[in-house]
Amino acid sequence: YPKRLTAEVLYDAFHQVTNTTQGYSGLPGGTKAVQLPDASVGPYFLKVFGQPQGDTACECERSQEANLAQSLHLLNSSEVQTKIASGSGRAQQLSADKERSHEEKVKELYRWAYSREPNADESQIALAHIQKHEAAPKTAYEDILWALINTKEFLFNH
């Protein structure tokens, strides 16, 4: 059965897909959210997606329930938008890559986000969007990346 990703796993997956990182105060560079010692170190993203506060030793503190704050955070938060539009992020790298076709780059995005290649319809929609934004391919790749991250397929482990 599909199971919602935990807050820490989702946050690490988000950084992997966008090819960005997050620094944590007092911890070495490259630390992942799943390695955080306690909830006091984590960003708001983790709290919104149900990271337990660590008040008790019970795993029942973890909330796996979907809520409006989570949807709004993925759709509108400046953190998500900044990481997607990062100058060293995946959207920038793909738009700057002139050696590969857009079709190959869309397949790569789907592999990063879903661990699969896009079906014919998904590929056609993505390629049409890139062609529509031919003058600004980075914007097109940012839009596609944003759309992939905001799907149930990305949020759930299946």
Side-chain angles (χ1 to χ4, degrees):
Y1 293 107
K3 181 182 171 196
R4 195 173 175 87
L5 295 176
T6 61
E8 298 86 351
V9 172
L10 180 61
Y11 199 54
D12 288 341
F14 167 70
H15 284 102
Q16 200 169 20
V17 170
T18 59
N19 197 32
T20 58
T21 59
Q22 175 67 41
Y24 301 101
S25 174
L27 296 172
T31 300
K32 304 286 186 204
V34 295
Q35 298 171 314
L36 295 176
D38 60 54
S40 67
V41 180
Y44 179 70
F45 185 104
L46 295 176
K47 289 163 186 48
V48 168
F49 282 90
Q51 179 190 39
Q53 295 305 305
D55 295 336
T56 68
C58 180
E59 182 64 20
C60 59
E61 272 190 56
R62 181 176 297 278
S63 170
Q64 290 291 93
E65 301 299 318
N67 61 51
L68 183 59
Q70 294 168 350
S71 297
L72 291 173
H73 193 73
L74 284 176
L75 290 169
N76 299 325
S77 81
S78 61
E79 176 187 18
V80 171
Q81 298 301 324
T82 301
K83 301 243 172 146
I84 289 173
S86 170
S88 60
R90 192 156 321 275
Q92 172 61 36
Q93 291 171 344
L94 292 173
S95 65
D97 182 356
K98 304 299 182 202
E99 294 179 15
R100 296 185 297 160
S101 69
H102 290 301
E103 186 174 353
E104 289 176 283
K105 293 185 273 188
V106 167
K107 284 181 182 180
E108 180 183 327
L109 265 181
Y110 270 79
R111 282 188 218 114
W112 277 109
Y114 301 149
S115 298
R116 67 169 177 83
E117 293 192 356
N119 64 36
D121 289 340
E122 292 167 335
S123 184
Q124 182 181 4
I125 291 167
L127 293 171
H129 187 71
I130 292 168
Q131 190 163 16
K132 187 171 106 176
H133 295 282
E134 200 171 331
K138 181 177 186 276
T139 302
Y141 282 106
E142 288 173 6
D143 292 346
I144 294 167
L145 193 52
W146 178 85
L148 294 177
I149 288 168
N150 279 285
T151 62
K152 287 182 183 178
E153 187 171 357
F154 184 73
L155 298 172
F156 284 81
N157 186 9
H158 47 84

PDB file of all heavy atoms in Angstrom, residues 118-147:
ATOM      1  N   PRO A 118       9.184   9.094 -17.789  1.00  0.00           N
ATOM      2  CA  PRO A 118       7.821   9.586 -18.027  1.00  0.00           C
ATOM      3  C   PRO A 118       7.112   8.732 -19.071  1.00  0.00           C
ATOM      4  O   PRO A 118       7.748   8.200 -19.988  1.00  0.00           O
ATOM      5  CB  PRO A 118       8.040  11.007 -18.531  1.00  0.00           C
ATOM      6  CG  PRO A 118       9.405  10.992 -19.127  1.00  0.00           C
ATOM      7  CD  PRO A 118      10.193  10.015 -18.312  1.00  0.00           C
ATOM      8  N   ASN A 119       5.797   8.614 -18.938  1.00  0.00           N
ATOM      9  CA  ASN A 119       5.044   7.939 -19.994  1.00  0.00           C
ATOM     10  C   ASN A 119       4.904   8.908 -21.170  1.00  0.00           C
ATOM     11  O   ASN A 119       5.332  10.068 -21.091  1.00  0.00           O
ATOM     12  CB  ASN A 119       3.701   7.410 -19.476  1.00  0.00           C
ATOM     13  CG  ASN A 119       2.761   8.504 -19.025  1.00  0.00           C
ATOM     14  OD1 ASN A 119       2.706   9.596 -19.606  1.00  0.00           O
ATOM     15  ND2 ASN A 119       1.996   8.226 -17.970  1.00  0.00           N
ATOM     16  N   ALA A 120       4.309   8.467 -22.244  1.00  0.00           N
ATOM     17  CA  ALA A 120       4.231   9.276 -23.463  1.00  0.00           C
ATOM     18  C   ALA A 120       3.514  10.607 -23.231  1.00  0.00           C
ATOM     19  O   ALA A 120       3.973  11.652 -23.712  1.00  0.00           O
ATOM     20  CB  ALA A 120       3.544   8.481 -24.569  1.00  0.00           C
ATOM     21  N   ASP A 121       2.402  10.585 -22.496  1.00  0.00           N
ATOM     22  CA  ASP A 121       1.649  11.823 -22.236  1.00  0.00           C
ATOM     23  C   ASP A 121       2.452  12.802 -21.391  1.00  0.00           C
ATOM     24  O   ASP A 121       2.488  14.001 -21.679  1.00  0.00           O
ATOM     25  CB  ASP A 121       0.327  11.519 -21.531  1.00  0.00           C
ATOM     26  CG  ASP A 121      -0.684  10.844 -22.444  1.00  0.00           C
ATOM     27  OD1 ASP A 121      -0.531  10.941 -23.677  1.00  0.00           O
ATOM     28  OD2 ASP A 121      -1.621  10.224 -21.913  1.00  0.00           O
ATOM     29  N   GLU A 122       3.085  12.290 -20.327  1.00  0.00           N
ATOM     30  CA  GLU A 122       3.879  13.146 -19.452  1.00  0.00           C
ATOM     31  C   GLU A 122       5.036  13.780 -20.222  1.00  0.00           C
ATOM     32  O   GLU A 122       5.319  14.968 -20.073  1.00  0.00           O
ATOM     33  CB  GLU A 122       4.420  12.331 -18.272  1.00  0.00           C
ATOM     34  CG  GLU A 122       3.357  11.863 -17.317  1.00  0.00           C
ATOM     35  CD  GLU A 122       3.860  10.812 -16.347  1.00  0.00           C
ATOM     36  OE1 GLU A 122       4.841  10.104 -16.662  1.00  0.00           O
ATOM     37  OE2 GLU A 122       3.258  10.699 -15.259  1.00  0.00           O
ATOM     38  N   SER A 123       5.680  12.988 -21.028  1.00  0.00           N
ATOM     39  CA  SER A 123       6.803  13.488 -21.814  1.00  0.00           C
ATOM     40  C   SER A 123       6.341  14.562 -22.800  1.00  0.00           C
ATOM     41  O   SER A 123       6.976  15.609 -22.934  1.00  0.00           O
ATOM     42  CB  SER A 123       7.457  12.321 -22.564  1.00  0.00           C
ATOM     43  OG  SER A 123       8.587  12.754 -23.254  1.00  0.00           O
ATOM     44  N   GLN A 124       5.234  14.310 -23.449  1.00  0.00           N
ATOM     45  CA  GLN A 124       4.695  15.260 -24.424  1.00  0.00           C
ATOM     46  C   GLN A 124       4.332  16.587 -23.767  1.00  0.00           C
ATOM     47  O   GLN A 124       4.648  17.656 -24.292  1.00  0.00           O
ATOM     48  CB  GLN A 124       3.464  14.650 -25.106  1.00  0.00           C
ATOM     49  CG  GLN A 124       2.845  15.531 -26.170  1.00  0.00           C
ATOM     50  CD  GLN A 124       1.614  14.888 -26.788  1.00  0.00           C
ATOM     51  OE1 GLN A 124       1.167  13.817 -26.371  1.00  0.00           O
ATOM     52  NE2 GLN A 124       1.050  15.557 -27.771  1.00  0.00           N
ATOM     53  N   ILE A 125       3.713  16.528 -22.610  1.00  0.00           N
ATOM     54  CA  ILE A 125       3.323  17.750 -21.889  1.00  0.00           C
ATOM     55  C   ILE A 125       4.563  18.539 -21.470  1.00  0.00           C
ATOM     56  O   ILE A 125       4.630  19.761 -21.644  1.00  0.00           O
ATOM     57  CB  ILE A 125       2.447  17.407 -20.667  1.00  0.00           C
ATOM     58  CG1 ILE A 125       1.088  16.899 -21.129  1.00  0.00           C
ATOM     59  CG2 ILE A 125       2.286  18.605 -19.744  1.00  0.00           C
ATOM     60  CD1 ILE A 125       0.253  16.246 -20.035  1.00  0.00           C
ATOM     61  N   ALA A 126       5.568  17.839 -20.923  1.00  0.00           N
ATOM     62  CA  ALA A 126       6.790  18.511 -20.477  1.00  0.00           C
ATOM     63  C   ALA A 126       7.527  19.143 -21.661  1.00  0.00           C
ATOM     64  O   ALA A 126       7.978  20.290 -21.570  1.00  0.00           O
ATOM     65  CB  ALA A 126       7.696  17.529 -19.753  1.00  0.00           C
ATOM     66  N   LEU A 127       7.643  18.407 -22.746  1.00  0.00           N
ATOM     67  CA  LEU A 127       8.351  18.935 -23.917  1.00  0.00           C
ATOM     68  C   LEU A 127       7.610  20.124 -24.532  1.00  0.00           C
ATOM     69  O   LEU A 127       8.241  21.089 -24.975  1.00  0.00           O
ATOM     70  CB  LEU A 127       8.570  17.833 -24.952  1.00  0.00           C
ATOM     71  CG  LEU A 127       9.521  16.723 -24.512  1.00  0.00           C
ATOM     72  CD1 LEU A 127       9.507  15.569 -25.514  1.00  0.00           C
ATOM     73  CD2 LEU A 127      10.932  17.256 -24.318  1.00  0.00           C
ATOM     74  N   ALA A 128       6.288  20.080 -24.530  1.00  0.00           N
ATOM     75  CA  ALA A 128       5.499  21.209 -25.036  1.00  0.00           C
ATOM     76  C   ALA A 128       5.718  22.439 -24.158  1.00  0.00           C
ATOM     77  O   ALA A 128       5.814  23.572 -24.663  1.00  0.00           O
ATOM     78  CB  ALA A 128       4.024  20.844 -25.097  1.00  0.00           C
ATOM     79  N   HIS A 129       5.818  22.228 -22.852  1.00  0.00           N
ATOM     80  CA  HIS A 129       6.044  23.352 -21.935  1.00  0.00           C
ATOM     81  C   HIS A 129       7.438  23.954 -22.165  1.00  0.00           C
ATOM     82  O   HIS A 129       7.588  25.175 -22.156  1.00  0.00           O
ATOM     83  CB  HIS A 129       5.892  22.892 -20.489  1.00  0.00           C
ATOM     84  CG  HIS A 129       5.937  24.009 -19.506  1.00  0.00           C
ATOM     85  ND1 HIS A 129       4.925  24.931 -19.378  1.00  0.00           N
ATOM     86  CD2 HIS A 129       6.900  24.385 -18.627  1.00  0.00           C
ATOM     87  CE1 HIS A 129       5.244  25.816 -18.454  1.00  0.00           C
ATOM     88  NE2 HIS A 129       6.440  25.508 -17.972  1.00  0.00           N
ATOM     89  N   ILE A 130       8.416  23.116 -22.377  1.00  0.00           N
ATOM     90  CA  ILE A 130       9.772  23.614 -22.644  1.00  0.00           C
ATOM     91  C   ILE A 130       9.788  24.400 -23.947  1.00  0.00           C
ATOM     92  O   ILE A 130      10.402  25.467 -24.035  1.00  0.00           O
ATOM     93  CB  ILE A 130      10.782  22.448 -22.677  1.00  0.00           C
ATOM     94  CG1 ILE A 130      10.925  21.839 -21.279  1.00  0.00           C
ATOM     95  CG2 ILE A 130      12.143  22.917 -23.195  1.00  0.00           C
ATOM     96  CD1 ILE A 130      11.662  20.518 -21.243  1.00  0.00           C
ATOM     97  N   GLN A 131       9.099  23.881 -24.949  1.00  0.00           N
ATOM     98  CA  GLN A 131       9.058  24.579 -26.242  1.00  0.00           C
ATOM     99  C   GLN A 131       8.333  25.919 -26.115  1.00  0.00           C
ATOM    100  O   GLN A 131       8.725  26.907 -26.745  1.00  0.00           O
ATOM    101  CB  GLN A 131       8.375  23.709 -27.282  1.00  0.00           C
ATOM    102  CG  GLN A 131       8.511  24.237 -28.687  1.00  0.00           C
ATOM    103  CD  GLN A 131       8.199  23.184 -29.717  1.00  0.00           C
ATOM    104  OE1 GLN A 131       7.601  22.156 -29.419  1.00  0.00           O
ATOM    105  NE2 GLN A 131       8.616  23.426 -30.944  1.00  0.00           N
ATOM    106  N   LYS A 132       7.306  25.957 -25.283  1.00  0.00           N
ATOM    107  CA  LYS A 132       6.560  27.204 -25.068  1.00  0.00           C
ATOM    108  C   LYS A 132       7.454  28.278 -24.423  1.00  0.00           C
ATOM    109  O   LYS A 132       7.277  29.464 -24.661  1.00  0.00           O
ATOM    110  CB  LYS A 132       5.351  26.913 -24.174  1.00  0.00           C
ATOM    111  CG  LYS A 132       4.407  28.074 -23.998  1.00  0.00           C
ATOM    112  CD  LYS A 132       3.150  27.620 -23.300  1.00  0.00           C
ATOM    113  CE  LYS A 132       3.149  28.106 -21.877  1.00  0.00           C
ATOM    114  NZ  LYS A 132       1.927  27.788 -21.144  1.00  0.00           N
ATOM    115  N   HIS A 133       8.418  27.841 -23.623  1.00  0.00           N
ATOM    116  CA  HIS A 133       9.340  28.752 -22.943  1.00  0.00           C
ATOM    117  C   HIS A 133      10.744  28.643 -23.531  1.00  0.00           C
ATOM    118  O   HIS A 133      11.729  28.655 -22.804  1.00  0.00           O
ATOM    119  CB  HIS A 133       9.383  28.444 -21.439  1.00  0.00           C
ATOM    120  CG  HIS A 133       8.097  28.697 -20.745  1.00  0.00           C
ATOM    121  ND1 HIS A 133       7.673  29.951 -20.399  1.00  0.00           N
ATOM    122  CD2 HIS A 133       7.120  27.849 -20.329  1.00  0.00           C
ATOM    123  CE1 HIS A 133       6.499  29.876 -19.804  1.00  0.00           C
ATOM    124  NE2 HIS A 133       6.141  28.604 -19.755  1.00  0.00           N
ATOM    125  N   GLU A 134      10.800  28.552 -24.837  1.00  0.00           N
ATOM    126  CA  GLU A 134      12.081  28.361 -25.525  1.00  0.00           C
ATOM    127  C   GLU A 134      13.083  29.471 -25.213  1.00  0.00           C
ATOM    128  O   GLU A 134      14.282  29.236 -25.120  1.00  0.00           O
ATOM    129  CB  GLU A 134      11.834  28.291 -27.040  1.00  0.00           C
ATOM    130  CG  GLU A 134      12.948  27.646 -27.806  1.00  0.00           C
ATOM    131  CD  GLU A 134      12.556  27.398 -29.245  1.00  0.00           C
ATOM    132  OE1 GLU A 134      11.372  27.196 -29.538  1.00  0.00           O
ATOM    133  OE2 GLU A 134      13.472  27.421 -30.091  1.00  0.00           O
ATOM    134  N   ALA A 135      12.592  30.685 -25.001  1.00  0.00           N
ATOM    135  CA  ALA A 135      13.478  31.815 -24.706  1.00  0.00           C
ATOM    136  C   ALA A 135      14.047  31.739 -23.284  1.00  0.00           C
ATOM    137  O   ALA A 135      15.097  32.315 -23.008  1.00  0.00           O
ATOM    138  CB  ALA A 135      12.731  33.130 -24.901  1.00  0.00           C
ATOM    139  N   ALA A 136      13.358  31.035 -22.394  1.00  0.00           N
ATOM    140  CA  ALA A 136      13.803  30.922 -21.000  1.00  0.00           C
ATOM    141  C   ALA A 136      13.656  29.469 -20.542  1.00  0.00           C
ATOM    142  O   ALA A 136      12.764  29.147 -19.760  1.00  0.00           O
ATOM    143  CB  ALA A 136      12.986  31.847 -20.114  1.00  0.00           C
ATOM    144  N   PRO A 137      14.550  28.584 -21.002  1.00  0.00           N
ATOM    145  CA  PRO A 137      14.410  27.172 -20.650  1.00  0.00           C
ATOM    146  C   PRO A 137      14.541  26.894 -19.152  1.00  0.00           C
ATOM    147  O   PRO A 137      13.928  25.957 -18.639  1.00  0.00           O
ATOM    148  CB  PRO A 137      15.517  26.482 -21.443  1.00  0.00           C
ATOM    149  CG  PRO A 137      16.484  27.546 -21.798  1.00  0.00           C
ATOM    150  CD  PRO A 137      15.704  28.818 -21.865  1.00  0.00           C
ATOM    151  N   LYS A 138      15.286  27.721 -18.425  1.00  0.00           N
ATOM    152  CA  LYS A 138      15.428  27.502 -16.979  1.00  0.00           C
ATOM    153  C   LYS A 138      14.063  27.611 -16.298  1.00  0.00           C
ATOM    154  O   LYS A 138      13.723  26.808 -15.431  1.00  0.00           O
ATOM    155  CB  LYS A 138      16.410  28.497 -16.365  1.00  0.00           C
ATOM    156  CG  LYS A 138      16.623  28.291 -14.860  1.00  0.00           C
ATOM    157  CD  LYS A 138      17.663  29.238 -14.304  1.00  0.00           C
ATOM    158  CE  LYS A 138      17.975  28.953 -12.871  1.00  0.00           C
ATOM    159  NZ  LYS A 138      17.096  29.535 -11.909  1.00  0.00           N
ATOM    160  N   THR A 139      13.277  28.581 -16.719  1.00  0.00           N
ATOM    161  CA  THR A 139      11.933  28.746 -16.171  1.00  0.00           C
ATOM    162  C   THR A 139      11.083  27.512 -16.449  1.00  0.00           C
ATOM    163  O   THR A 139      10.346  27.044 -15.577  1.00  0.00           O
ATOM    164  CB  THR A 139      11.252  29.995 -16.773  1.00  0.00           C
ATOM    165  OG1 THR A 139      12.057  31.131 -16.481  1.00  0.00           O
ATOM    166  CG2 THR A 139       9.856  30.193 -16.234  1.00  0.00           C
ATOM    167  N   ALA A 140      11.201  26.953 -17.651  1.00  0.00           N
ATOM    168  CA  ALA A 140      10.434  25.755 -18.004  1.00  0.00           C
ATOM    169  C   ALA A 140      10.833  24.578 -17.132  1.00  0.00           C
ATOM    170  O   ALA A 140       9.972  23.856 -16.613  1.00  0.00           O
ATOM    171  CB  ALA A 140      10.642  25.427 -19.478  1.00  0.00           C
ATOM    172  N   TYR A 141      12.138  24.392 -16.931  1.00  0.00           N
ATOM    173  CA  TYR A 141      12.592  23.279 -16.092  1.00  0.00           C
ATOM    174  C   TYR A 141      12.209  23.495 -14.624  1.00  0.00           C
ATOM    175  O   TYR A 141      11.886  22.542 -13.924  1.00  0.00           O
ATOM    176  CB  TYR A 141      14.101  23.056 -16.240  1.00  0.00           C
ATOM    177  CG  TYR A 141      14.434  22.318 -17.510  1.00  0.00           C
ATOM    178  CD1 TYR A 141      14.994  22.976 -18.590  1.00  0.00           C
ATOM    179  CD2 TYR A 141      14.177  20.953 -17.642  1.00  0.00           C
ATOM    180  CE1 TYR A 141      15.289  22.298 -19.767  1.00  0.00           C
ATOM    181  CE2 TYR A 141      14.464  20.273 -18.808  1.00  0.00           C
ATOM    182  CZ  TYR A 141      15.020  20.948 -19.868  1.00  0.00           C
ATOM    183  OH  TYR A 141      15.304  20.272 -21.029  1.00  0.00           O
ATOM    184  N   GLU A 142      12.218  24.727 -14.167  1.00  0.00           N
ATOM    185  CA  GLU A 142      11.766  25.023 -12.798  1.00  0.00           C
ATOM    186  C   GLU A 142      10.289  24.664 -12.641  1.00  0.00           C
ATOM    187  O   GLU A 142       9.895  24.073 -11.646  1.00  0.00           O
ATOM    188  CB  GLU A 142      11.966  26.506 -12.482  1.00  0.00           C
ATOM    189  CG  GLU A 142      13.399  26.910 -12.283  1.00  0.00           C
ATOM    190  CD  GLU A 142      13.573  28.419 -12.149  1.00  0.00           C
ATOM    191  OE1 GLU A 142      12.552  29.154 -12.104  1.00  0.00           O
ATOM    192  OE2 GLU A 142      14.728  28.862 -12.102  1.00  0.00           O
ATOM    193  N   ASP A 143       9.485  25.027 -13.639  1.00  0.00           N
ATOM    194  CA  ASP A 143       8.054  24.728 -13.592  1.00  0.00           C
ATOM    195  C   ASP A 143       7.806  23.220 -13.549  1.00  0.00           C
ATOM    196  O   ASP A 143       6.970  22.743 -12.782  1.00  0.00           O
ATOM    197  CB  ASP A 143       7.333  25.318 -14.809  1.00  0.00           C
ATOM    198  CG  ASP A 143       7.295  26.831 -14.820  1.00  0.00           C
ATOM    199  OD1 ASP A 143       7.585  27.452 -13.768  1.00  0.00           O
ATOM    200  OD2 ASP A 143       6.991  27.405 -15.886  1.00  0.00           O
ATOM    201  N   ILE A 144       8.526  22.479 -14.374  1.00  0.00           N
ATOM    202  CA  ILE A 144       8.355  21.028 -14.413  1.00  0.00           C
ATOM    203  C   ILE A 144       8.784  20.416 -13.085  1.00  0.00           C
ATOM    204  O   ILE A 144       8.089  19.566 -12.525  1.00  0.00           O
ATOM    205  CB  ILE A 144       9.137  20.417 -15.597  1.00  0.00           C
ATOM    206  CG1 ILE A 144       8.540  20.895 -16.921  1.00  0.00           C
ATOM    207  CG2 ILE A 144       9.140  18.889 -15.522  1.00  0.00           C
ATOM    208  CD1 ILE A 144       9.401  20.617 -18.138  1.00  0.00           C
ATOM    209  N   LEU A 145       9.899  20.864 -12.567  1.00  0.00           N
ATOM    210  CA  LEU A 145      10.395  20.366 -11.280  1.00  0.00           C
ATOM    211  C   LEU A 145       9.394  20.668 -10.171  1.00  0.00           C
ATOM    212  O   LEU A 145       9.087  19.798  -9.343  1.00  0.00           O
ATOM    213  CB  LEU A 145      11.749  21.017 -10.987  1.00  0.00           C
ATOM    214  CG  LEU A 145      12.607  20.466  -9.887  1.00  0.00           C
ATOM    215  CD1 LEU A 145      12.816  18.980 -10.024  1.00  0.00           C
ATOM    216  CD2 LEU A 145      13.955  21.164  -9.888  1.00  0.00           C
ATOM    217  N   TRP A 146       8.859  21.874 -10.155  1.00  0.00           N
ATOM    218  CA  TRP A 146       7.861  22.259  -9.162  1.00  0.00           C
ATOM    219  C   TRP A 146       6.636  21.355  -9.276  1.00  0.00           C
ATOM    220  O   TRP A 146       6.103  20.882  -8.267  1.00  0.00           O
ATOM    221  CB  TRP A 146       7.485  23.726  -9.362  1.00  0.00           C
ATOM    222  CG  TRP A 146       6.442  24.232  -8.428  1.00  0.00           C
ATOM    223  CD1 TRP A 146       6.631  24.719  -7.170  1.00  0.00           C
ATOM    224  CD2 TRP A 146       5.034  24.288  -8.671  1.00  0.00           C
ATOM    225  NE1 TRP A 146       5.418  25.081  -6.624  1.00  0.00           N
ATOM    226  CE2 TRP A 146       4.432  24.826  -7.521  1.00  0.00           C
ATOM    227  CE3 TRP A 146       4.233  23.944  -9.753  1.00  0.00           C
ATOM    228  CZ2 TRP A 146       3.065  25.024  -7.419  1.00  0.00           C
ATOM    229  CZ3 TRP A 146       2.867  24.130  -9.649  1.00  0.00           C
ATOM    230  CH2 TRP A 146       2.300  24.676  -8.492  1.00  0.00           C
ATOM    231  N   ALA A 147       6.189  21.095 -10.495  1.00  0.00           N
ATOM    232  CA  ALA A 147       5.014  20.245 -10.707  1.00  0.00           C
ATOM    233  C   ALA A 147       5.268  18.816 -10.226  1.00  0.00           C
ATOM    234  O   ALA A 147       4.398  18.204  -9.600  1.00  0.00           O
ATOM    235  CB  ALA A 147       4.628  20.243 -12.184  1.00  0.00           C
TER     236      ALA A 147
END
